[in-house]
Amino acid sequence: MDVLNQMQLDNHEQVNFFHDPKTNLKAIIAIHSTELGPSLGGCRMMEYESEQNALFDVLRLAKGMTYKSAIAGLKLGGGKSVIIGNSKTNKTDELLEKFGEFIDSLGGRYITAEDMGMNVKDMEIIKRKTNHVTGLAKDLGGSGDPSEVTSYGTYMGILSAVKFKLNKDNLDGLSILVQGLGNVGMKLIAYLAKHDINLFVSDIDADKVSDCVSSFGATPIAEKDVYDLDANIYCPCAVGATVNDKTIDRLNFDIIAGAANNVLENYEKHGNILFRKNILYAPDYVINAGGVINIYNELGEYNKIDVFKQVEKIYDNLLNIFVESEKQNIATNIVSDLLAEKIINEHKNDKIRI
């Protein structure tokens, strides 16, 4: 693995590899930036085809967290961690405690939270060994499961995209596909279902699909048919890279706006293709910022009403990006990157002047 060159490509500050022989913990923590504050980002536990794939995943996720926090106006940098293993069969209290020790050894440069394959209970176990953890249960001073806030922010982003693209103030009459029926996807559907929509759902878990069919009158879509569906809005809410070389020519949506991270497999290439196809893309790290806004507020005096008010700003943040994209005639994801970098560079310049 050519780690240093990969770090240099996107200016990552630090990458740490951890292994504990006793618990067989294999983990990577990537810190992209601490310019605006300590790096914060969730821990993802999953099996990877190779360690190279795990490194690629954690590096781009960490960078996304930097940009996400910058645009959301948070005093945080960007980081991310991955534990390589099966979250159902390899996860033990001892492994999570050892991971907590590794986080603690970084002296607060990285703060963890939950992500795919991890949950609030896991954060409680990690906290036994470090205070650099958020997304905790309410009885431990946290706010509990952040998926409600993430889904609400995604819903705000969808409303923003619909206003810009279709000039509508509601979702009535629209067809919407939600791919991925985890905690965020299901809560997002609850918000979407307040409108008179034609709902399509897709997930590898047949029971979750059945629940949506019975609870919301949704139409199930097989995974192989997702990218050929004729619908207004595609909401990816599971794994990333679903917009790739194999799927992008098949897409016929007006809008892509979902809670998944790293939706574009090739960030610049696929963002530009969507722009040329006149498909409005809501940059993932802007639309799904509700979760990081929520856990950031755990670091101070947590007030749920204030958190939801902050999350509602996602609507305007995206609208500004859409307008600027149209004005400059460049893809929305490039506009959002430029905006995030401007915020970070202005902070650097302010420190120099001081």
Side-chain angles (χ1 to χ4, degrees):
M1 290 188 291
D2 197 357
V3 180
L4 289 175
N5 278 341
Q6 290 191 52
M7 291 175 65
Q8 190 175 17
L9 283 173
D10 288 314
N11 297 315
H12 287 76
E13 293 180 8
Q14 181 176 347
V15 176
N16 294 85
F17 295 82
F18 299 112
H19 175 242
D20 178 56
K22 185 177 179 181
T23 62
N24 199 30
L25 170 67
K26 292 183 287 186
I28 309 172
I29 295 177
I31 297 174
H32 177 257
S33 173
T34 55
E35 175 61 38
L36 298 178
S39 68
L40 187 149
C43 174
R44 175 174 293 192
M45 183 170 186
M46 59 184 289
E47 295 177 293
Y48 288 90
E49 291 183 3
S50 67
E51 292 179 7
Q52 179 65 41
N53 286 353
L55 177 64
F56 177 76
D57 200 27
V58 76
L59 287 175
R60 67 176 185 164
L61 287 166
K63 179 183 176 181
M65 290 304 301
T66 295
Y67 287 6
K68 180 183 296 191
S69 293
I71 291 182
L74 309 179
K75 295 178 181 178
L76 289 172
K80 206 76 177 182
S81 59
V82 296
I83 297 176
I84 302 171
N86 187 308
S87 63
K88 294 182 179 179
T89 60
N90 300 137
K91 188 192 298 180
T92 64
D93 285 12
E94 292 76 20
L95 180 144
L96 294 175
E97 286 181 354
K98 183 57 67 173
F99 182 62
E101 290 179 11
F102 288 144
I103 292 172
D104 205 57
S105 71
L106 299 178
R109 283 177 54 79
Y110 169 69
I111 302 169
T112 198
E114 65 176 279
D115 199 339
M116 292 174 59
M118 302 289 277
N119 55 47
V120 173
K121 184 172 181 284
D122 297 330
M123 297 303 107
E124 295 174 11
I125 296 170
I126 291 170
K127 188 173 171 58
R128 295 173 188 170
K129 299 296 182 178
T130 183
N131 288 322
H132 306 303
V133 55
T134 59
L136 299 166
K138 293 179 181 179
D139 59 356
L140 287 178
S143 60
D145 183 1
S147 61
E148 181 183 359
V149 188
T150 303
S151 60
Y152 183 66
T154 305
Y155 171 62
M156 286 288 105
I158 292 170
L159 291 176
S160 178
V162 167
K163 177 63 177 177
F164 180 82
K165 180 72 175 179
L166 305 176
N167 196 27
K168 285 174 60 69
D169 293 317
N170 59 61
L171 307 180
D172 293 345
L174 300 182
S175 52
I176 304 177
L177 165 65
V178 177
Q179 180 189 38
L181 304 177
N183 287 338
V184 174
M186 291 299 291
K187 289 182 173 67
L188 173 61
I189 287 173
Y191 285 114
L192 300 175
K194 296 177 181 179
H195 302 261
D196 182 19
I197 63 169
N198 188 11
L199 177 65
F200 299 91
V201 296
S202 179
D203 195 278
I204 58 175
D205 189 328
D207 291 337
K208 291 180 178 179
V209 172
S210 296
D211 287 345
C212 280
V213 171
S214 59
S215 300
F216 299 103
T219 300
I221 301 295
E223 183 69 23
K224 65 181 180 63
D225 299 324
V226 162
Y227 309 104
D228 300 304
L229 186 69
D230 187 8
N232 296 112
I233 306 171
Y234 166 45
C235 304
C237 294
V239 296
T242 55
V243 176
N244 54 57
D245 286 340
K246 295 179 180 178
T247 64
I248 197 162
D249 290 335
R250 297 159 57 187
L251 303 180
N252 192 36
F253 306 106
D254 295 309
I255 294 165
I256 297 179
N261 285 310
N262 297 326
V263 173
L264 309 178
E265 184 179 56
N266 185 314
Y267 191 74
E268 187 169 342
K269 173 185 173 182
H270 295 138
N272 285 326
I273 292 175
L274 291 179
F275 184 70
R276 291 197 299 269
K277 284 170 67 77
N278 200 28
I279 297 175
L280 182 65
Y281 173 61
D284 47 49
Y285 62 77
V286 183
I287 192 172
N288 67 17
V292 73
I293 292 170
N294 184 70
I295 57 179
Y296 173 73
N297 277 268
E298 287 187 10
L299 302 176
E301 290 281 332
Y302 186 85
N303 184 298
K304 188 173 182 177
I305 295 174
D306 289 344
V307 168
F308 273 78
K309 286 181 179 177
Q310 291 174 42
V311 170
E312 287 174 357
K313 294 178 182 177
I314 290 173
Y315 183 102
D316 288 333
N317 288 343
L318 279 170
L319 202 57
N320 291 337
I321 289 169
F322 298 149
V323 169
E324 199 63 28
S325 169
E326 184 176 65
K327 186 187 301 182
Q328 296 189 37
N329 196 35
I330 58 177
T332 54
N333 58 309
I334 303 304
V335 172
S336 61
D337 282 3
L338 292 173
L339 176 58
E341 289 163 5
K342 180 182 177 183
I343 292 168
I344 294 167
N345 287 331
E346 285 178 348
H347 186 268
K348 288 180 181 177
N349 292 335
D350 287 344
K351 288 200 302 186
I352 292 172
R353 282 193 290 269
I354 292 173

